[in-house]
Amino acid sequence: MARSPSAAGPVVRHYLPDLVYGANDGIITTFAVVTGVVGASLSERIILILGFANLVADGFSMGASNFLARRSYADADDRADRPEAARHGTATFVGFIVAGIVPLVAYVVPLPDDLRFPLAIVLTLSTLFVVGASRTFVTRLGWTRSGVEMLCVGALAAAVAFAIGALASSLT
């Protein structure tokens, strides 16, 4: 059954929490892989291998986990049916993949090596802000506050991953 354009707004709003949840985790975990590898001074090839492995496997895991969570309510009235749970899981997976690929873009386009990580940082932080700001459609919080909040969480996770990569590299 085709949805009318006017029905698209409520549908997007219905799945926006799943999309934002997936996008948030996708961009943060993928960028954590990038920053951890850079912090450890490993090759860009490692960034691509670990980045894409994380992107697909973790994205699938997030989507499947959302599906299972929606099917795990004890009260049958609160439990989502399989098709509805699958749609929420798919929205989480799509959000994860679409946002999660952003930190890897700088490593797949032809650029000088010294520009890749700075570009990954700019693309990632910009995307974190935009995804965070998009939460206002559901939360009604200010878009600046929502964007900055997600930006800070992502930047902190990246800093931790970078530090752990650098520490692990120095110990091995």
Side-chain angles (χ1 to χ4, degrees), residues 15 17-18 54 56 58 65 79 109 118 126 133 135 149 155 163:
Y15 295 104
D18 304 299
N54 171 76
V56 176
D58 201 11
S65 294
R79 189 178 314 128
V109 297
S126 300
R135 297 180 319 161
E149 184 177 68

Side-chain angles (χ1 to χ4, degrees), residues 114-136:
D114 61 330
L115 294 181
R116 292 184 190 282
F117 188 55
L119 179 60
I121 292 170
V122 169
L123 291 174
T124 299
L125 295 179
S126 300
T127 304
L128 281 166
F129 182 83
V130 169
V131 171
S134 72
R135 297 180 319 161
T136 61

Side-chain angles (χ1 to χ4, degrees), residues 18-109:
D18 304 299
L19 291 164
V20 169
Y21 177 59
N24 179 50
D25 198 52
I27 196 161
I28 289 173
T29 60
T30 305
F31 193 53
V33 167
V34 172
T35 57
V37 171
V38 171
S41 300
L42 300 174
S43 78
E44 291 180 358
R45 182 171 183 239
I46 301 296
I47 289 173
L48 291 173
I49 293 167
L50 295 179
F52 280 106
N54 171 76
L55 184 68
V56 176
D58 201 11
F60 176 79
S61 175
M62 290 286 297
S65 294
N66 192 354
F67 171 84
L68 292 173
R70 289 178 179 279
R71 298 282 300 145
S72 296
Y73 288 96
D75 186 349
D77 292 337
D78 294 332
R79 189 178 314 128
D81 63 12
R82 281 185 181 87
E84 178 65 9
R87 286 190 292 272
H88 283 279
T90 300
T92 301
F93 175 76
V94 168
F96 191 101
I97 296 294
V98 169
I101 202 164
V102 168
L104 299 175
V105 168
Y107 294 90
V108 295
V109 297

Side-chain angles (χ1 to χ4, degrees), residues 131-144:
V131 171
S134 72
R135 297 180 319 161
T136 61
F137 292 111
V138 174
T139 64
R140 303 288 187 227
L141 295 173
W143 65 270
T144 304

